[in-house]
Amino acid sequence: ITSGSADLLGTTTVDAVNGTATFSNLYINQTGSSYTLTASSSGLASAVSTSFSVSAGAVSQILITTQPSEGPGADVFTTTPVISFKDANGNIASSSATVTASIKSGTGNSNAALIGTTSVSAVSGVAEFTDLGIDLAGTDYVLTFESSGFASVDSAAFDVTDPLPYQLLFLEEPYGGFNKNYPSAANKVRIADKLGVTVADATNEITLSIKSGTGTAGAALSGTTVVTASGGLATFNQVAVDSGGTNYQLMASSSGLVSATTSTFNI
């Protein structure tokens, strides 16, 4: 090969018969364009072929080209798993077939499940699981990837750590109350992961307020409106709305977390 970075495989040295040398099992192991071949023989001028391209052969296997990596539970993998359809020489071959992911039996947490899209159609021979994750923490997880007609492949083992705080959720919705009395029920806010499961060790500071544009203009909350959560739960005691009105909403917020807003209520 006089251009390109691939290898020329097969029988590359042949004796001529009646002035003609035939290379019957010669091939190039990588796809590419603008390849040229040079034929040489001692004492003779060399010859260079015209340029040509090499495309992938028939799909013969699926391979993991990007492994899933360790990350928190209830979230997408830190590194997106990528599966490629390849020919016998390892070149990516065109395919739109579907690849399905699953947790290999006996690995990780036995109660865990995949979250996100578990079946992906390949595009130009590549299937990317961009929103895939695992809901529960565990060690030595292995994923199995399957596509009809091909041998399945297993990922390398990896760990999933405890889910991280992601959002705030009111434990219950309010159902109204009286002026200067806190609306019933909505006095507890929990810290949850992306799946809405309470993060039991979360201790974030949470602020409670009247959502802007709701209720009576100028109304405010009295009492302690900033609370540090314990066990993933913040309880707001003796907090009241100071003015009567309709269509109030409360908002719970905490730095770095998705805020929560109640349904409307009247005072």
Side-chain angles (χ1 to χ4, degrees):
I1 299 175
T2 50
S3 66
S5 59
D7 294 323
L8 187 62
L9 302 176
T11 304
T12 58
T13 300
V14 172
D15 291 328
V17 177
N18 296 325
T20 300
T22 302
F23 295 84
S24 58
N25 66 347
L26 206 60
Y27 66 98
I28 294 173
N29 68 343
Q30 291 184 24
T31 59
S33 59
S34 300
Y35 283 112
T36 58
L37 299 181
T38 297
S40 59
S41 182
S42 178
L44 301 178
S46 299
V48 179
S49 73
T50 57
S51 63
F52 60 93
S53 299
V54 174
S55 58
V59 178
S60 63
Q61 58 187 325
I62 60 171
L63 294 174
I64 301 173
T65 47
T66 303
Q67 295 278 350
S69 62
E70 179 177 329
D75 206 344
V76 297
F77 291 122
T78 305
T79 302
T80 297
V82 178
I83 310 302
S84 297
F85 289 82
K86 295 195 172 187
D87 65 14
N89 291 314
N91 298 302
I92 294 177
S94 180
S95 176
S96 58
T98 298
V99 181
T100 299
S102 61
I103 300 173
K104 186 174 183 178
S105 178
T107 71
N109 186 325
S110 60
N111 295 316
L114 288 177
I115 59 174
T117 305
T118 58
S119 292
V120 173
S121 295
V123 176
S124 299
V126 177
E128 298 184 2
F129 290 81
T130 56
D131 65 347
L132 196 64
I134 293 177
D135 61 349
L136 300 177
T139 58
D140 294 328
Y141 278 102
V142 173
L143 298 187
T144 297
F145 296 93
E146 300 174 282
S147 185
S148 179
F150 302 99
S152 62
V153 290
D154 289 343
S155 73
F158 61 94
D159 297 337
V160 173
T161 56
D162 289 330
L164 298 175
Y166 174 76
Q167 61 183 325
L168 300 178
L169 297 171
F170 281 94
L171 198 62
E172 296 180 82
E173 290 289 347
Y175 47 86
F178 297 100
N179 185 19
K180 298 185 180 180
N181 284 282
Y182 190 77
S184 301
N187 67 328
K188 292 184 178 181
V189 177
R190 61 189 182 92
I191 301 169
D193 61 25
K194 281 190 174 182
L195 298 180
V197 178
T198 300
V199 179
D201 60 352
T203 57
N204 303 61
E205 186 178 85
I206 300 174
T207 300
L208 193 68
S209 62
I210 298 172
K211 184 180 179 181
S212 177
T214 71
T216 299
L221 292 179
S222 60
T224 303
T225 58
V226 179
V227 172
T228 298
S230 175
L233 186 68
T235 301
F236 294 86
N237 293 318
Q238 299 179 340
V239 176
V241 179
D242 66 1
S243 300
T246 59
N247 295 323
Y248 276 102
Q249 285 181 283
L250 298 181
M251 184 170 70
S253 57
S254 182
S255 178
L257 303 182
V258 177
S259 299
T261 302
T262 68
S263 58
T264 59
F265 60 93
N266 300 328
I267 295 293

